[in-house]
Amino acid sequence: MIKLYLARHGETDGNAQQWYQGSTDMPLNRRGIEQANCLSEFLKDVPFAAVYSSTLSRAKKTAEIVAAPHGLPVETHKELMEINFGLWEGHTYKEITEQWPGEIEAFYDSNGTMPAHGGESFAQVKERAGKKTRELLAGHHDGDAVLIAAHGATIRCILFDLLGLDLTRIWCFQQYNTAFNIIEYYGEKNVMTLMNCTNHLEGMTG
């Protein structure tokens, strides 16, 4: 069994302003760096064999902060990037519903099959991110602990792939900034043992 830690990146200004960021490369803000440092301290005694991340800077920086106490490099992969929201990126839900009436509602009602306007569908993200995650884990051995730093929608898609869940329920899983999940990975019949954990943020103010 491989123990997989899936962690969402820290906060960005886009998160704080509730934009649909998607593939837009937004850096961590001050609070996001503080969150990542808290996560790093919390996980410092986990004997990670490797740390991977999305190529987007918010995930890569989070991964680098967590990897630092372990002396590990961060290996990035574009397949772990956030869903591409196309023309919706940089806009809030309210702005999207005003500029493209009915589109985002149809997107969420499509059971993961409809692409965002000019972007991707959840099914496409599940395919690319799930496949890459399995490829990475195939290079590890029984007993290894592995961290992947990625994004809210991408992590949901990976979880649904590894757990064999239906994309119709994808928004039932919350993922806060720097929340982490633990999956016991066996290849098939994988087991989630922790979800959306933010215990490391309890000492933060504001």
Side-chain angles (χ1 to χ4, degrees):
M1 178 268 292
I2 297 167
K3 187 170 286 190
L4 172 62
Y5 289 71
L6 283 170
R8 190 185 176 201
H9 60 79
E11 185 184 273
T12 68
D13 287 344
N15 293 144
Q17 297 176 50
Q18 298 186 323
W19 299 344
Y20 279 63
Q21 290 179 123
S23 61
T24 302
D25 199 1
M26 296 287 295
L28 296 181
N29 60 19
R30 180 203 57 77
R31 179 175 173 80
I33 291 173
E34 184 181 356
Q35 290 170 333
N37 282 322
C38 289
L39 180 61
S40 180
E41 174 66 20
F42 195 79
L43 298 180
K44 67 180 181 181
D45 294 326
V46 177
F48 289 120
V51 176
Y52 305 103
S53 89
S54 155
T55 51
L56 294 174
S57 61
R58 58 190 185 268
K60 184 172 183 285
K61 182 64 174 178
T62 301
E64 288 171 345
I65 291 171
V66 175
H70 306 273
L72 291 171
V74 174
E75 186 177 307
T76 61
H77 296 275
K78 65 182 186 303
E79 294 90 346
L80 301 175
M81 286 175 62
E82 180 62 301
I83 184 171
N84 185 336
F85 281 117
L87 294 182
W88 299 343
E89 295 193 3
H91 296 281
T92 64
Y93 182 87
K94 182 175 184 293
E95 290 169 344
I96 293 167
T97 58
E98 290 173 349
Q99 293 188 46
W100 299 279
E103 285 193 8
I104 199 163
E105 293 89 346
F107 172 77
Y108 287 125
D109 288 342
S110 74
N111 297 333
T113 61
M114 178 180 170
H117 191 141
E120 292 180 290
S121 68
F122 289 120
Q124 289 171 314
V125 177
K126 179 183 173 185
E127 170 65 22
R128 65 164 163 84
K131 180 180 179 182
K132 176 52 68 175
T133 298
R134 290 177 183 273
E135 287 176 357
L136 293 172
L137 295 179
H140 287 278
H141 304 289
D142 186 45
D144 280 357
V146 175
L147 175 80
I148 293 177
H151 310 267
T154 305
I155 288 171
R156 291 181 180 96
C157 288
I158 293 171
L159 290 173
F160 273 53
D161 179 68
L162 297 184
L163 298 174
L165 302 178
D166 193 325
L167 282 177
T168 59
R169 310 302 294 172
I170 194 165
W171 289 107
C172 292
F173 283 21
Q174 181 59 272
Q175 293 292 298
Y176 295 119
N177 287 119
T178 66
F180 69 94
N181 313 270
I182 299 177
I183 297 286
E184 292 184 350
Y185 181 79
Y186 299 91
E188 299 298 334
K189 297 185 179 179
N190 305 309
V191 179
M192 174 181 276
T193 60
L194 188 66
M195 178 183 171
N196 197 37
C197 179
T198 57
N199 290 351
H200 53 287
L201 302 179
E202 289 179 356
M204 287 188 63
T205 58

